[in-house]
Amino acid sequence: MKIIMLGAPGAGKGTQAKMIADKYGVPHISTGDIFRANIKNGTELGMEAKKYMDQGLLVPDELTVKILLDRVAKDDCEKGYVLDGFPRTIPQAEVLEEALANIGDKIDFAIDVDVPDENIVRRMSGRRACLSCGATYHIEHVPPKAEGICDRCGKELVLRDDDKAETVKNRLNVYHEQTQPLIDFYEKKGVLKSVDGTVDMQDVFVAIVSILGE
Ligand code: ADP
Ligand code: AMP
C-alpha cells in the first residue's frame, strides 16, 4: 500500500501518517524529519536544507528527490509506505511516478487533509516537536505529560523555528503556489481522497481508515 499525504503545513499529515503506519505496518517517511535529522547531525545536506527551511521555502528538488528515492528503495518499503511531506512540487511527483512506473508500480492513495489557512497559524504556534525522536505534540490538543519534555524519549520539546508565525505565512504561500496543484495532479490520476482535517484527530483517522479499508 503506497500512500501520499497532501495538505498545508500543519494540517495534520504527520499525525495521521504515524497512525496509518502503526495500523497498516508500513514505514512513515517524512522528508522534513530526514532534513531535521541531518541538521541535527551537522551533515552537508542538513546545512544546505536549513538555509531554505528557516525561510519557509522548499528545499530544491535536486536534493529532495534523491534522498526520497534512496529511502523508498530500502527493504522495509517492500510492502509500501506512507509519504508525509513528499511530493511538494509537480516535478517531485513526476519523478516519483516515473520511478514507480519503472518497477511496474504506482501510488494507491493520495489523501488530502483539508484545513483552511485560518486554522493553520494557531495549530503551528501550538505545535511542539522533539528533534530527537520526531514525536509531535500540541500544547492544547496533545500536551505532553510533563511540560516541555518528550513522553517517548525524555528529551526537550521545542517550537520549531519554521513554526513561528512569520515563517508560517511564507510556508502557506509556498504551499498554495507549489504544492496545492498536486491535488489536481492526483485527482486526474484517480487516486485522490479528501478528508476534513478540522475535526478531532481520531475522527480524521476514522475517515482515513474508511478510505483505506480495515
Ligand atoms: P503536518 O505534518 O501536516 O505539518 P502535524 O501532524 O505536525 O502537521 O500537526 C500540526 C499540529 O497540529 C501538531 O501540533 C498536532 O499535534 C496538531 N494537530 C494535528 N491534527 C490535529 C487535529 N485534527 N486537531 C487539532 N490539532 C491537530
Ligand atoms: P515538514 O516537516 O514536512 O513541515 O517540512 C519542513 C520543511 O522541510 C519544509 O518547509 C521544507 O523547507 C522542507 N521540506 C520537507 N519536505 C520537502 C519536499 N518534499 N520538498 C522541498 N522541501 C521540503
Side-chain angles (χ1 to χ4, degrees):
M1 184 188 285
K2 296 189 172 62
I3 304 165
I4 286 171
M5 303 303 293
L6 295 175
K13 300 181 297 295
T15 301
Q16 298 301 324
K18 285 179 188 126
M19 291 157 99
I20 293 171
D22 280 349
K23 180 170 172 73
Y24 297 95
V26 290
H28 163 215
I29 300 176
S30 154
T31 37
D33 283 351
I34 296 173
F35 288 137
R36 281 185 289 278
N38 274 274
I39 292 172
K40 191 163 167 265
N41 295 329
T43 69
E44 211 171 301
L45 169 69
M47 307 286 201
E48 188 59 24
K50 187 170 167 26
K51 290 190 216 158
Y52 299 92
M53 291 169 74
D54 282 352
Q55 299 175 68
L57 299 174
L58 295 185
V59 178
D61 288 346
E62 305 83 81
L63 288 179
T64 311
V65 161
K66 186 178 177 330
I67 59 157
L68 190 276
L69 292 183
D70 287 350
R71 178 64 189 87
V72 296
K74 297 219 160 103
D75 288 350
D76 65 335
C77 291
E78 249 171 36
K79 273 178 53 196
Y81 40 74
V82 50
L83 300 185
D84 160 19
F86 187 99
R88 262 183 159 100
T89 64
I90 297 276
Q92 289 182 11
E94 286 171 344
V95 172
L96 176 64
E97 196 186 19
E98 196 184 317
L100 285 171
N102 285 339
I103 54 168
D105 211 342
K106 62 173 188 50
I107 292 297
D108 300 300
F109 298 98
I111 300 176
D112 178 37
V113 184
D114 188 24
V115 176
D117 286 10
E118 306 83 84
N119 301 27
I120 294 288
V121 178
R122 201 154 22 104
R123 280 232 188 141
M124 304 288 259
S125 58
R127 171 159 66 183
R128 294 294 178 272
C130 175
L131 298 183
S132 240
C133 75
T136 44
Y137 301 84
H138 190 282
I139 50 176
E140 284 164 45
H141 308 293
V142 198
K145 291 195 183 88
E147 198 183 317
I149 305 290
C150 180
D151 293 352
R152 207 156 78 182
C153 73
K155 296 271 165 51
E156 187 194 0
L157 298 176
V158 297
L159 171 65
R160 277 167 42 183
D161 284 339
D162 61 344
D163 280 351
K164 293 177 180 154
E166 210 34 56
T167 314
V168 170
K169 285 184 198 139
N170 287 343
R171 294 173 70 196
L172 277 172
N173 288 337
V174 167
Y175 167 74
H176 290 302
E177 274 170 30
Q178 301 193 58
T179 308
Q180 209 171 17
L182 291 173
I183 295 179
D184 255 13
F185 180 94
Y186 287 110
E187 170 101 75
K188 289 196 181 110
K189 307 270 169 213
V191 294
L192 182 77
K193 303 282 174 189
S194 284
V195 294
D196 177 1
T198 63
V199 298
D200 183 90
M201 52 189 82
Q202 294 302 335
D203 294 332
V204 180
F205 190 57
V206 168
I208 291 177
V209 170
S210 75
I211 291 165
L212 301 179
E214 274 298 338

